Amino acid sequence: MVIEIDFNSDEAIYVQLMNQIIMGIATSRLQEGDPLPSVRQLADTIGINMHTVNKAYSLLRQEGFVTIDRRRGAIIAIDVDKMKALEEMKQNLMVALARGYCKNISRAEVHDLIDEIFDEYGIE
């Protein structure tokens, strides 16, 4: 998996790293059980601090995207708690939809955008 960090972005590096791993899972580039690079290895490859990678991995673990084992490292392990995931998604969507509403984005445009994203993931 190739991780690309935009060092000029206003978005924190650990957030960019997390988002790219989540997108890798959503697009099936990363599968349940796949190991992620060690903290040191990924930090060296990208050219960032090990603490930044560790923070991203820890947050991914808290959100149920990975498990962390001292011997095996970080492993993709998707949380099966669907109700919790739906509630978190609802909260995030409420804010995103409110922002769109303030910018006069219509319901039809939102539906089209969601369909486009689901098509990218290959989801029916």
Side-chain angles (χ1 to χ4, degrees):
M1 182 176 147
V2 176
I3 303 282
E4 295 180 8
I5 299 299
D6 179 359
F7 292 99
N8 295 318
S9 174
D10 290 336
E11 188 171 54
I13 292 172
Y14 76 92
V15 173
Q16 291 182 54
L17 181 56
M18 286 178 52
N19 289 343
Q20 288 199 27
I21 291 169
I22 292 168
M23 291 298 294
I25 295 167
T27 58
S28 299
R29 288 178 293 160
L30 292 171
Q31 303 284 325
E32 179 90 19
D34 285 351
L36 292 174
S38 71
V39 169
R40 174 170 281 139
Q41 180 184 12
L42 188 54
D44 288 346
T45 300
I46 298 173
I48 60 176
N49 191 292
M50 287 182 4
H51 296 293
T52 303
V53 176
N54 195 43
K55 183 173 185 174
Y57 281 10
S58 293
L59 290 170
L60 286 166
R61 182 189 54 78
Q62 288 175 12
E63 293 182 17
F65 291 103
V66 302
T67 58
I68 298 176
D69 181 286
R70 292 209 182 269
R71 291 171 292 192
R72 295 178 44 205
I75 308 294
I76 300 298
I78 292 123
D79 187 6
V80 294
D81 188 354
K82 187 173 183 177
M83 293 305 292
K84 180 181 174 188
L86 282 171
E87 187 56 38
E88 288 175 9
M89 183 179 282
K90 180 179 179 180
Q91 294 301 316
N92 292 329
L93 281 171
M94 287 178 71
V95 173
L97 291 172
R99 288 174 184 252
Y101 179 78
C102 291
K103 300 289 185 177
N104 297 317
I105 296 173
S106 72
R107 178 185 295 242
E109 290 170 315
V110 170
H111 282 257
D112 290 344
L113 184 58
I114 290 172
D115 287 341
E116 178 184 321
I117 292 168
F118 272 88
D119 288 345
E120 288 177 16
Y121 297 153
I123 299 171
E124 295 297 319

